[in-house]
Amino acid sequence: MRILSIISFFAITILLSACSWNEYFIVVNRSDSDILIDYELDESLDPLDIFRAVPEVYKADDNDEIDWENGIIDTEDIDIEPEKVRLNLKQGMILKFGFLSNDYYESSDQEFINNTDFNLTKLKIKSPKDSIMIDKDNFDEYFNKEKGYIKMILK
């Protein structure tokens, strides 16, 4: 009987561990020039929060999704403040600046599981053509959810 309980416990553990997923917050640069991105997070820098002060840049594939096979592209954060990030995003690249684990993103004001916070205070995107200021209140006007990504495509 004890062996059956142990086997059942491990079977349930393995089954539940396979049910994990992420949704990624990305900016895709499909414009004809590099863009300057500045973003600021609240000061808590809690590892459970959505947005990260350590940005990751990847090559974009043809579907405006992350090309995982090429790995992370070296990028320099040119802001020295721990809760602020400033970088140049080159053409054809994607900035991944946040992710949500085991929860579905619906809006910036939703309640997330595990005390996760929408910790982005502002995001500024500057290109030769335009300058955009995004905060929690207007985030959903610029970002759309598509196949596990919450993304903004700059053209």
Side-chain angles (χ1 to χ4, degrees):
M1 185 68 152
R2 181 175 159 92
I3 292 175
L4 184 59
S5 296
I6 292 171
I7 292 171
S8 296
F9 171 76
F10 282 114
I12 290 170
T13 303
I14 290 170
L15 182 66
L16 292 177
S17 67
C19 297
S20 182
W21 71 92
N22 290 321
E23 292 191 334
Y24 300 101
F25 291 77
I26 63 172
V27 175
V28 182
N29 185 1
R30 287 292 181 202
S31 72
D32 55 1
S33 62
D34 295 353
I35 56 174
L36 180 65
I37 297 181
D38 287 282
Y39 67 92
E40 187 173 334
L41 309 177
D42 66 26
E43 293 182 11
S44 72
L45 297 176
D46 187 325
L48 291 177
D49 290 343
I50 294 174
F51 300 99
R52 308 288 182 218
V54 180
E56 295 178 5
V57 174
Y58 297 85
K59 229 176 166 173
D61 69 13
D62 294 337
N63 298 316
D64 295 325
E65 295 175 359
I66 293 173
D67 180 354
W68 296 105
E69 291 181 17
N70 284 313
I72 298 173
I73 308 294
D74 285 335
T75 305
E76 181 183 2
D77 175 3
I78 51 182
D79 193 303
I80 60 170
E81 304 273 338
E83 72 279 355
K84 294 180 181 179
V85 174
R86 174 177 251 204
L87 60 91
N88 286 304
L89 188 63
K90 299 196 177 301
Q91 299 168 275
M93 298 294 175
I94 290 178
L95 166 65
K96 181 178 79 126
F97 65 114
F99 67 93
L100 186 58
S101 291
N102 301 323
D103 201 352
Y104 292 105
Y105 180 81
E106 295 169 17
S107 71
S108 62
D109 61 355
Q110 82 185 64
E111 288 194 29
F112 300 98
I113 62 170
N114 299 328
N115 294 323
T116 299
D117 282 329
F118 188 96
N119 59 319
L120 181 72
T121 58
K122 64 181 169 185
L123 167 64
K124 184 177 179 182
I125 300 172
K126 186 171 171 126
S127 71
K129 299 177 187 175
D130 204 3
S131 184
I132 302 167
M133 183 65 80
I134 300 170
D135 60 21
K136 184 176 180 176
D137 294 331
N138 68 358
F139 184 87
D140 296 320
E141 295 172 28
Y142 293 96
F143 284 80
N144 298 305
K145 185 172 177 176
E146 182 181 316
K147 294 189 235 171
Y149 292 96
I150 295 77
K151 64 181 163 181
M152 177 182 191
I153 302 174
L154 300 164
K155 295 182 178 184

